[in-house]
Amino acid sequence: MKQLNTTHDLAINGAEPAFTEPLHVGRPSIGDRELFLRFTNEILDRQWLTNNGPVVRELEGRIADYHDVSHCVAMCSGTVALEIAIRALQLKGEVIVPSYTFIATAHALHWQAITPIFADIDPHTHNLDPAAVRRMITPRTTGIIGVHLWGRIAAVEALQSIADEYQLKLMFDAAHAFGCTRAGTKVGNFGSCEVLSFHATKFFHTFEGGAVLTNDDELAETMRLMRNFGFSGVDNVIHPGTNGKMTEIAAAMGLTNIQSIDKVIDHNRGVYQAYSEALADVATVDLLAYDEEESNNYQYVVVEVTDNSPVTRDQIVDALQAENVLARRYFWPCCHRKKPYSDLYPNAGSFLLNSERVSERVIVLPAGPEMDDERVDRVVSIIRVLTSG
Ligand code: T4K
């Protein structure tokens, strides 16, 4: 491995960090603080704090309208929303998922004694490769969970035709894809249902939270029961369930944030474009492009280190972090390299070659509210110096 050039003015060589305060990949947008505090006071005055309160119901309506979808079922986290959707769809046996994703996608299955079967990704899209999905189908397969990684919509048509051919259920982990489209159709309208995450690090957040979007009335009704212990009315339990409810205060953060969502997306687009321009002459990293014909939220600025780089991805990330640029290696190692999956499938890497290769090259750069053109230029200058040999 080549050493980083020790003559450069870098924090790893003893210089002061380029940024005095850290830059993050997941800095939350806070929206209109006065509005949030007004909503909070109303909640406290009403003394109705959770259990399908009016703020949660209003937020569900706003999110469903935003996505042109019949139902938004709000939950306490994206992970619980995944677990409930998986159970409501009655998935069992084996379910095909990518390994190149956040660990929650696989855990939501394993947690419910369902076997996640990892299929490889298309290295260009970072999403499931339909041909690889087809190869992993067995008589025990009951479903496919696609992930719209980085908000770029998966190959929904090809996956749907495989699901139809083998009579499998199809759902999507849309944790990154709030507001995103494929051929103009908004997320929420693909497969049987799609799961959003509203975690604090997402560009639209409710502190913690998530939701399932669906056009299936019956499925929505089942999930509403499941997130509230199966209660139908005060004393009547008609379904197995858990506590997946979103609180009123979380929904108030969501209602605040949804007011400024267009502004936040505009800002994210500006940051992405600034990176795109600044990186245009840097041959050592490739910026993952968003399709400008579609609606994107531009939440993640993702680069892949190319073969031209004289230094490794890890050397770049470590050096950036020393400069207070808290870039991340999402999603490394892949799920099949993490426990319990590394014990269950020790040889999975041999057929997940694209997943492994991509996971070893990706760097997610700081984006979001704290970034502006000048900071982007400075981050890119550091990358330029680091990879200049
Ligand atoms: N499916 C997919 C594909 C997902 O990516 C996720 C979540 C899920 C499902 C599950 O959804 P949830 O159950 O989480 O709703 C973060 C998030 O915790 C996680 O929600 C997210 N994906 C994942 C991609 O990123 P970490 O471990 O990287 O978070 P952390 O604490 O290191 O924070 C990232 C950066 O953001 C740091 O620089 C610190 C900064 N930050 C973080 C928080 C929480 C802030 O500035 N303020 C904050 O409040 O997982």
Side-chain angles (χ1 to χ4, degrees):
M1 185 194 308
K2 191 163 172 187
Q3 291 303 305
L4 286 169
N5 190 332
T6 50
T7 61
H8 286 310
D9 201 15
L10 296 167
I12 40 160
N13 295 335
E16 286 297 306
F19 294 91
T20 45
E21 297 293 329
L23 303 179
H24 304 83
V25 299
R27 206 68 170 157
S29 299
I30 302 298
D32 179 345
R33 191 178 290 238
E34 291 305 316
L35 185 63
F36 173 67
L37 294 175
R38 179 158 71 75
F39 288 145
T40 302
N41 278 324
E42 287 170 7
I43 290 166
L44 297 178
D45 289 345
R46 226 176 355 251
Q47 295 186 292
W48 192 272
L49 306 184
T50 184
N51 288 12
N52 205 22
V55 190
V56 167
R57 292 200 304 275
E58 183 170 349
L59 181 66
E60 288 182 329
R62 298 285 297 274
I63 293 173
D65 289 348
Y66 192 85
H67 290 90
D68 305 321
V69 68
S70 310
H71 302 279
C72 168
V73 185
M75 310 264 183
C76 57
S77 73
T79 303
V80 168
L82 276 172
E83 289 168 1
I84 287 180
I86 286 165
R87 209 170 262 263
L89 282 176
Q90 299 181 336
L91 297 181
K92 53 185 188 298
E94 296 176 357
V95 172
I96 297 171
V97 288
S99 180
Y100 186 58
T101 176
F102 189 59
I103 196 67
T105 321
H107 277 356
L109 292 163
H110 181 78
W111 194 250
Q112 312 197 71
I114 300 167
T115 308
I117 298 292
F118 297 117
D120 209 0
I121 55 163
D122 175 329
H124 304 293
T125 65
H126 294 187
N127 285 325
L128 271 180
D129 171 6
V133 169
R134 207 175 261 283
R135 287 196 292 275
M136 305 314 284
I137 295 172
T138 74
R140 294 192 71 230
T141 310
T142 61
I144 303 167
I145 303 181
V147 179
H148 305 310
L149 211 75
W150 318 127
R152 296 169 7 135
I153 302 296
V156 285
E157 302 86 358
L159 292 174
Q160 188 63 65
S161 67
I162 294 172
D164 293 344
E165 185 182 335
Y166 291 90
Q167 295 180 323
L168 304 174
K169 303 271 176 56
L170 174 65
M171 60 174 272
F172 290 96
D173 176 340
H176 301 176
F178 192 109
C180 299
T181 61
R182 166 110 168 176
T185 300
K186 282 247 173 83
V187 78
N189 293 283
F190 305 115
S192 297
C193 63
E194 307 198 63
V195 174
L196 300 172
S197 163
F198 307 146
H199 182 260
T201 53
K202 301 293 186 296
F203 88 102
F204 170 82
H205 73 92
T206 60
F207 300 126
E208 288 274 4
V212 188
L213 303 180
T214 183
N215 289 311
D216 182 331
D217 299 345
E218 210 177 311
L219 188 67
E221 189 45 38
T222 304
M223 292 187 294
R224 288 186 202 286
L225 287 170
M226 288 175 128
R227 72 172 174 187
N228 187 28
F229 314 101
F231 272 107
S232 168
V234 178
D235 298 318
N236 198 21
V237 172
I238 61 167
H239 206 283
T242 183
N243 184 351
K245 290 167 282 150
M246 177 180 275
T247 64
E248 288 288 273
I249 193 83
M253 187 80 254
L255 265 192
T256 307
N257 282 330
I258 209 161
Q259 318 267 3
S260 51
I261 201 154
D262 292 337
K263 229 166 73 186
V264 173
I265 293 175
D266 277 352
H267 174 81
N268 288 352
R269 186 191 297 110
V271 170
Y272 162 76
Q273 282 167 351
Y275 271 115
S276 178
E277 282 162 30
L279 286 167
D281 66 343
V282 181
T284 46
V285 297
D286 281 339
L287 177 68
L288 207 72
Y290 287 100
D291 180 350
E292 299 294 341
E293 302 286 303
E294 302 289 356
S295 298
N296 304 296
N297 58 42
Y298 301 95
Q299 169 170 233
Y300 291 104
V301 173
V302 181
V303 296
E304 273 184 60
V305 177
T306 68
D307 292 333
N308 294 326
S309 174
V311 289
T312 66
R313 185 275 303 270
D314 290 351
Q315 285 177 306
I316 299 172
V317 170
D318 291 348
L320 283 172
Q321 293 194 349
E323 304 289 353
N324 261 335
V325 178
L326 303 188
R328 296 292 291 264
R329 299 166 172 90
Y330 290 146
F331 290 101
W332 176 86
C334 292
C335 293
H336 70 277
R337 295 273 175 201
K338 294 187 172 106
K339 285 185 187 289
Y341 315 107
S342 53
D343 293 336
L344 295 171
Y345 321 115
N347 302 319
S350 59
F351 52 87
L352 295 167
L353 299 177
N354 293 331
S355 306
E356 297 220 324
R357 188 177 150 83
V358 168
S359 78
E360 281 156 14
R361 288 174 169 244
V362 158
I363 304 175
V364 177
L365 295 172
E370 65 194 357
M371 294 305 287
D372 57 23
D373 290 5
E374 191 258 339
R375 285 179 168 188
V376 167
D377 281 342
R378 284 169 65 203
V379 170
V380 173
S381 308
I382 300 170
I383 296 174
R384 204 179 275 114
V385 169
L386 285 170
T387 60
S388 64

